[in-house]
Amino acid sequence: MPFSFFPIVFGVILGTLARYLMLKSDYRHYPSYPHGIITHISLGFIAAVLGSVAVPALMAKEFAAVSFLALAAQQFREVRTIEREMLLNLDKSELVQRGPDYIEGIARVFESRNYLVILTSLVVSTVTLFTHWIFGFAAGALAVMASNRLMSGRRVGDIAQVRTGDIQFKGANVFVEDIHIMNIGADEAREILQKRGVGVVIEPVNDNERETLGNNGQRMAIAHDAASQLGIYKDVDTPEFTPLVRRDLDTGRIAMLIVPIEKDPEFLIMAVKGVPVLESATGKPLKSRAGKLAED
Amino acid sequence: MQVSISKVILAAVTLEPGKVAGSIPTFLVNEREEQQKIAQYLGRILEGVVHDLENGVLIIVKH
């Protein structure tokens, strides 16, 4: 069936390109260049092939070929497992750990991006098959833009007010505003905290977000991202400078005490606002009747 | 962050011998400066955090 050759190739090319565009090597420094990129581009290529052949195969009455899509889904679920295991192993050597929830979120993104590639190349090859390749290109670009739009989740800045908070010492205990952070026994550590530490208070905008921020995984993600962007004044033998995120039980506010290398509170706030809200952490008590009625 | 559930007291540094009992390695010291120094050293060596119980006892805890 030479008539469908061009749509398939075109779909594969655009699908792979879409996967490449979705691979953003940002401050999280993941995936690592170049091997991680090669792995994911190759998988993206396979996904693109599968997506592109689906409709031409249907038209050629090759139903067995279409059922391979189901097989592919299994393969990409494997991607998620691999990513999760690798990140969990690597997390042990991080000074400030990502935490399992954040890793699960990243792994899920890797899986779902392959499905987006399948969808993109499916759209491209179908549109190209029935119309002109220009429309196919436009449809592909539209699909990529739409998926980028839909896939970019909320950030902490959208669900909470973020501001700095005073660090206070009462005896051996350290507080950010009135939220107890930890007990510090060493004078030297207390001095460093006083001199270099920054307190951040994150106030949820409503009860839903209170639950989201209460999630331990979400808090670890905040600590990790803040530390990875501003640097962390910590080594393996000074665990007392691990950024701690604690919760005010009365109001659901959370407070973080962090000792960044760069003491720039405004940029720290910027970093905290940019932390993604984890899908797994999102709570919606206001959607329930009891939660709605209990709100005050 | 609470990554593991195992929080262990690795050692205690005390000004008052009677205040620590049990099987914890305990270092007796005579004055506050010495206590701070020993606790700091132990904290670094054991990769633990020094906590103050505010009764003259410092403990080093693995988090």
Side-chain angles (χ1 to χ4, degrees):
Chain A
M1 21 163 196
F3 75 97
S4 56
F5 182 71
F6 178 68
I8 292 177
V9 172
F10 197 54
V12 170
I13 292 173
L14 283 199
T16 314
L17 193 70
R19 183 71 191 94
Y20 179 71
L21 292 177
M22 281 188 268
L23 269 181
K24 285 179 288 185
S25 220
D26 56 6
Y27 64 90
R28 280 165 276 220
H29 201 75
Y30 190 80
S32 50
Y33 187 81
H35 294 98
I37 290 191
I38 294 292
T39 312
H40 287 291
I41 296 271
S42 318
L43 278 166
F45 175 75
I46 294 169
V49 171
L50 284 162
S52 324
V53 298
V55 171
L58 264 183
M59 289 184 62
K61 297 205 167 62
E62 293 279 354
F63 300 115
V66 180
S67 65
F68 272 92
L69 273 182
L71 206 69
Q74 191 63 41
Q75 289 298 318
F76 295 125
R77 200 163 12 247
E78 207 71 1
V79 170
R80 177 157 152 194
T81 317
I82 293 166
E83 287 302 329
R84 184 201 300 124
E85 277 174 13
M86 192 180 86
L87 284 170
L88 274 176
N89 284 331
L90 293 180
D91 209 29
K92 288 176 196 142
S93 38
E94 294 271 357
L95 280 176
V96 181
Q97 299 188 332
R98 284 193 180 89
D101 298 52
Y102 199 0
I103 287 174
E104 193 59 50
I106 295 173
R108 201 177 296 174
V109 166
F110 272 104
E111 184 191 2
S112 67
R113 279 179 179 170
N114 282 309
Y115 300 137
L116 288 177
V117 167
I118 294 185
L119 199 74
T120 307
S121 46
L122 183 85
V123 167
V124 170
S125 74
T126 310
V127 174
T128 312
L129 189 61
F130 289 110
T131 59
H132 193 255
W133 68 270
I134 299 225
F135 295 111
F137 185 80
L142 217 67
V144 170
M145 277 194 286
S147 53
N148 267 347
R149 195 39 142 351
L150 293 173
M151 288 297 136
S152 61
R154 296 182 305 161
R155 298 188 174 271
V156 167
D158 302 330
I159 66 164
Q161 306 279 344
V162 185
R163 56 183 169 80
T164 50
D166 290 339
I167 300 173
Q168 290 160 15
F169 292 87
K170 287 175 194 157
N173 293 303
V174 191
F175 293 78
V176 170
E177 292 191 343
D178 56 344
I179 304 167
H180 178 248
I181 304 290
M182 68 186 320
N183 175 303
I184 285 272
D187 289 344
E188 193 192 315
R190 269 201 291 268
E191 276 163 30
I192 289 173
L193 279 179
Q194 197 136 37
K195 211 167 68 190
R196 309 194 56 136
V198 186
V200 178
V201 178
I202 306 168
E203 276 181 85
V205 291
N206 61 30
D207 282 10
N208 282 340
E209 317 314 352
R210 184 189 67 201
E211 291 314 305
T212 307
L213 289 174
N215 181 293
N216 220 345
Q218 181 64 55
R219 289 193 260 166
M220 287 175 88
I222 292 173
H224 172 84
D225 269 11
S228 66
Q229 286 172 60
L230 279 99
I232 185 71
Y233 190 85
K234 179 203 170 193
D235 200 357
V236 285
D237 61 350
T238 51
E240 60 267 38
F241 300 133
T242 307
L244 285 175
V245 190
R246 291 284 183 258
R247 189 173 188 219
D248 177 13
L249 299 180
D250 289 328
T251 62
R253 284 183 307 159
I254 60 172
M256 174 169 70
L257 176 59
I258 183 169
V259 192
I261 294 212
E262 317 272 358
K263 193 182 174 183
D264 291 311
E266 72 235 73
F267 302 134
L268 180 63
I269 286 176
M270 193 194 283
V272 170
K273 280 183 174 168
V275 176
V277 174
L278 303 181
E279 271 178 55
S280 56
T282 310
K284 293 242 182 280
L286 290 182
K287 291 259 179 186
S288 73
R289 199 173 142 74
K292 187 83 193 157
L293 292 174
E295 185 194 16
D296 47 25
Chain B
M1 299 304 302
Q2 306 95 319
V3 174
S4 67
I5 47 162
S6 55
K7 295 190 189 248
V8 189
I9 301 183
L10 300 169
V13 185
T14 178
L15 289 164
E16 294 171 57
K19 293 237 165 117
V20 185
S23 58
I24 313 159
T26 307
F27 294 78
L28 292 178
V29 287
N30 296 319
E31 55 187 8
R32 218 184 106 74
E33 270 94 83
E34 191 190 356
Q35 188 189 26
Q36 277 293 329
K37 201 174 93 179
I38 301 282
Q40 190 77 269
Y41 284 176
L42 285 171
R44 293 283 184 274
I45 294 163
L46 301 167
E47 295 178 6
V49 181
V50 181
H51 292 293
D52 189 350
L53 301 181
E54 297 185 346
N55 63 346
V57 182
L58 294 182
I59 53 173
I60 289 99
V61 179
K62 186 88 176 175
H63 285 274

